[in-house]
Amino acid sequence: MRNLPCRSFWANAAWLEIVLAASDLVTWTRLIGFRGHPGLARTEINTFRYRVLHVAARITHSARQLRLRLDATWRWAAQIATAWHHLRTAFG
């Protein structure tokens, strides 16, 4: 209990639920979005965070469409764009 961020039990319980939900979201993103890219789908969380979650990107609305604008110089931009398409078709 000493390493948790809050002093209250209930605040720590809420924090733990949020952390578990975020972990599930990252896992499902890796399974669904990066199914064609095993190098990114099977990486450790720190590597995945650096390669995918730290990319400079913007989600925009234009002409009733949702678009992902990625930094073209990012090494994994094509794989991220493909994963975006997989996620949009799976849940869109």
Side-chain angles (χ1 to χ4, degrees), residues 8-24:
S8 167
F9 173 80
W10 296 111
N12 285 326
W15 175 81
L16 184 60
E17 287 293 327
I18 291 169
V19 168
L20 291 174
S23 175
D24 288 344

Side-chain angles (χ1 to χ4, degrees), residues 1-10 12-13:
M1 296 288 287
R2 180 175 25 177
N3 294 330
L4 294 173
C6 302
R7 293 181 187 251
S8 167
F9 173 80
W10 296 111
N12 285 326

Side-chain angles (χ1 to χ4, degrees), residues 6-75:
C6 302
R7 293 181 187 251
S8 167
F9 173 80
W10 296 111
N12 285 326
W15 175 81
L16 184 60
E17 287 293 327
I18 291 169
V19 168
L20 291 174
S23 175
D24 288 344
L25 285 173
V26 168
T27 301
W28 280 107
T29 300
R30 289 168 52 181
L31 287 174
I32 295 170
F34 295 98
R35 62 180 177 235
H37 307 288
L40 284 173
R42 295 184 182 141
T43 60
E44 294 291 329
I45 187 65
N46 290 336
T47 305
F48 184 80
R49 187 181 307 133
Y50 170 73
R51 292 180 182 177
V52 177
L53 301 180
H54 286 172
V55 65
R58 181 179 294 171
I59 298 174
T60 61
H61 286 97
S62 175
R64 297 185 184 184
Q65 292 182 354
L66 193 64
R67 294 191 176 133
L68 177 67
R69 300 191 183 270
L70 292 167
D71 179 13
T73 61
W74 192 252
R75 182 176 172 187

